[in-house]
Amino acid sequence: MATVELRFSALPEHVRTARLVAAAVARRAGVDEAVLDEVRLAVGEACSRAVGLHQTGGITAPVKVLLIEEEKQFSIEVGDEAPHTAPGDRAPGSGGEVEVEEDEMGLAVISGLVDDVEVTAGEHGGQIRMSWPSAAVTATLT
């Protein structure tokens, strides 16, 4: 199992780099060319969401992206360190409703792009894990 780890400051301009790296690693892992646009879009959405959560929460920790190549599967994990609470825990009129709506919209977009997605969240951060089938690649770089 090969893993590439990418960490970047929670700034919107770094999301593009994460998308490009994810697409390159996915291609190398044997993900079908027809699916690479979905990989790019899903990673972009997940990273943008994490950046937004970090900026809103004043979190200086980097956004973490793991690109995991397994025998017949390619997975991407995007992690944030923003505390996640239930929507009812926010104070009315605090603007939290808009943030929840945007968050839910981002997750809906990701779910529409990726068949195999898992979202976990807690008081110490959250993670989105997305997976795609891949062909076993035996070629080596020369």
Side-chain angles (χ1 to χ4, degrees), residues 18-19 22-23 26 31 35 37-50 63-70 73-79 106-120 127-133:
R19 281 195 321 253
V31 172
V35 180
D37 280 339
E38 293 173 10
V39 171
R40 271 190 286 272
L41 289 169
V43 168
E45 191 64 42
C47 288
S48 292
R49 177 181 176 272
V63 173
K64 182 177 173 183
V65 181
L66 293 176
L67 309 162
I68 306 161
E69 180 183 347
E70 297 171 311
Q73 179 174 293
F74 175 70
S75 300
I76 299 175
E77 297 177 2
V78 178
L107 292 174
V109 169
I110 293 167
S111 295
L113 291 167
V114 185
D115 290 334
D116 186 9
V117 63
E118 178 184 330
V119 179
T120 57
Q127 179 179 326
I128 298 175
R129 181 181 173 91
M130 305 167 282
S131 299
W132 295 267

Side-chain angles (χ1 to χ4, degrees), residues 28 137-142:
R28 173 72 180 96
V137 177
T138 57
T140 58
L141 296 175
T142 55

